[in-house]
Amino acid sequence: MNLKDKVCIITGAASGIGKGIAERFVADGARVAIADLEADAADRAAAELTGKGPGSAIGVTMNVTDEAQVNAGVARVVEEWGRIDVLVSNAGVQIVHRLENFPFADWKKMLAIHLDGAFLTSKACLPHMYKEDGGSIIFMGSVHSWEASPLKSAYVTAKHGLLGLSRVIAKEGAARGVRANVICPGFVRTPLVDKQIPEQARDLGISEEEVVKKIMLGETVDGEFTTIEDVAEVAWLFAAFPSNALTGQSLKVSHGWSMT
Ligand code: NAD
């Protein structure tokens, strides 16, 4: 199993987990499109990764909630490399509030980035996968695809939804070689998590140390954060796996936070 010359689009790959997945894929010889809202950061990440392995990378500007931008970004990748083999729909943000204080605009923004983004990028990539030899669609879920936490109504709802969408794609895509799976990480130290620590401390009335120890890592088997590299390794497995034996699944990478 390897990703040599595979054409991969990774959304939200200018930072954090997506960038780590891009690095892992380039190291294995893939051609990777870093698709991100932040155009300059995407270009910088692509320049940084090219040369870090046998593969290559380009930056593609894409707001995953905008159908025209998604379609244009996917078309740009096809123009550059002629095909799409792997989609990692990873772009995401976090907004935390108690439900009674959750602004409706923030709820809609969360569902748009996580769910519309997964739908629109899958819809744009699938015809190219069907035209060639199939492909692999990977959604970045979360332990919150399975568990709930206070303050995270929109995030938990969206991450649960990704399980359903991936299973439909697994069923629709099977006959044409397209697999769909979900990665469900525990807490990983990225800008998305660093931003939440003071916000949760404020909303829950506890210290930042307690947020980390009790809220984020309290249910793990060893009190450890999951790393970007851990998640990237699982993404590589889902991307490179050669058959429908591994489709419609989700895998938790969370130091045992969730075991069901
Ligand atoms: P991050 O903030 O480091 O990176 C997110 C990236 O997404 C940024 O580059 C940002 O510019 C991009 N982005 C945001 N909105 C976008 C949009 N509309 N269109 C295109 N790009 C957009 O965050 P991260 O922690 O690496 O998170 C990546 C994914 O992993 C998210 O889906 C998140 O929910 C999921 N996740 C993170 C953790 C964690 O603990 N960090 C745990 C489980 C799941």
Side-chain angles (χ1 to χ4, degrees):
M1 297 196 311
N2 68 72
L3 296 179
K4 187 171 169 349
D5 293 333
K6 295 285 184 196
V7 176
C8 310
I9 298 183
I10 307 174
T11 69
S15 170
I17 291 172
K19 190 174 172 194
I21 294 172
E23 184 169 350
R24 178 69 181 88
F25 285 12
V26 168
D28 200 36
R31 294 173 282 180
V32 177
I34 311 248
D36 205 287
L37 190 59
E38 302 293 339
D40 291 347
D43 287 341
R44 271 198 309 276
E48 200 186 299
L49 294 187
T50 298
K52 274 204 169 174
S56 54
I58 56 170
V60 173
T61 310
M62 183 189 289
N63 178 347
V64 298
T65 69
D66 181 322
E67 185 173 19
Q69 278 195 35
V70 169
N71 291 343
V74 170
R76 154 103 208 278
V77 177
V78 172
E79 196 185 313
E80 183 87 19
W81 288 320
R83 52 190 291 139
I84 310 281
D85 299 295
V86 176
L87 165 68
V88 184
S89 171
N90 163 81
V93 298
Q94 178 62 280
I95 302 175
V96 293
H97 295 290
R98 292 185 62 83
L99 186 65
E100 65 273 26
N101 301 327
F102 217 110
F104 188 31
D106 284 347
W107 166 269
K108 285 194 274 200
K109 180 178 172 185
M110 287 292 285
L111 297 198
I113 295 173
H114 292 272
L115 290 178
D116 296 359
F119 166 77
L120 289 172
T121 51
S122 298
K123 186 175 173 193
C125 288
L126 271 170
H128 298 288
M129 294 178 173
Y130 287 156
K131 213 160 56 187
E132 301 286 339
D133 335 315
S136 172
I137 293 181
I138 300 165
F139 293 147
M140 194 54 63
S142 163
V143 165
H144 285 111
S145 298
W146 292 93
E147 307 284 340
S149 294
L151 312 178
K152 295 193 172 173
S153 52
Y155 190 78
V156 168
T157 301
K159 293 299 192 189
H160 274 62
L162 291 174
L163 296 177
L165 182 59
S166 72
R167 290 168 188 156
V168 173
I169 296 172
K171 292 202 171 189
E172 290 185 0
R176 293 195 268 179
V178 173
R179 297 170 294 104
N181 294 287
V182 184
I183 305 175
C184 298
F187 281 98
V188 182
R189 260 341 254 266
T190 67
L192 178 141
V193 161
D194 288 339
K195 177 176 165 286
Q196 272 177 70
I197 296 172
E199 291 174 353
Q200 291 215 33
R202 180 199 62 212
D203 283 1
L204 297 171
I206 57 178
S207 70
E208 294 189 15
E209 291 71 40
E210 283 174 306
V211 170
V212 171
K213 261 197 155 163
K214 293 191 182 152
I215 307 286
M216 296 188 163
L217 304 178
E219 299 290 323
T220 63
V221 294
D222 52 11
E224 298 276 344
F225 276 102
T226 299
T227 66
I228 289 174
E229 291 74 21
D230 295 328
V231 180
E233 213 51 42
V234 174
W236 177 85
L237 173 71
F238 279 143
F241 199 84
S243 79
N244 282 343
L246 194 57
T247 193
Q249 303 304 303
S250 70
L251 187 55
K252 294 172 195 142
V253 202
S254 70
H255 284 256
W257 167 10
S258 175
M259 296 191 184
T260 52

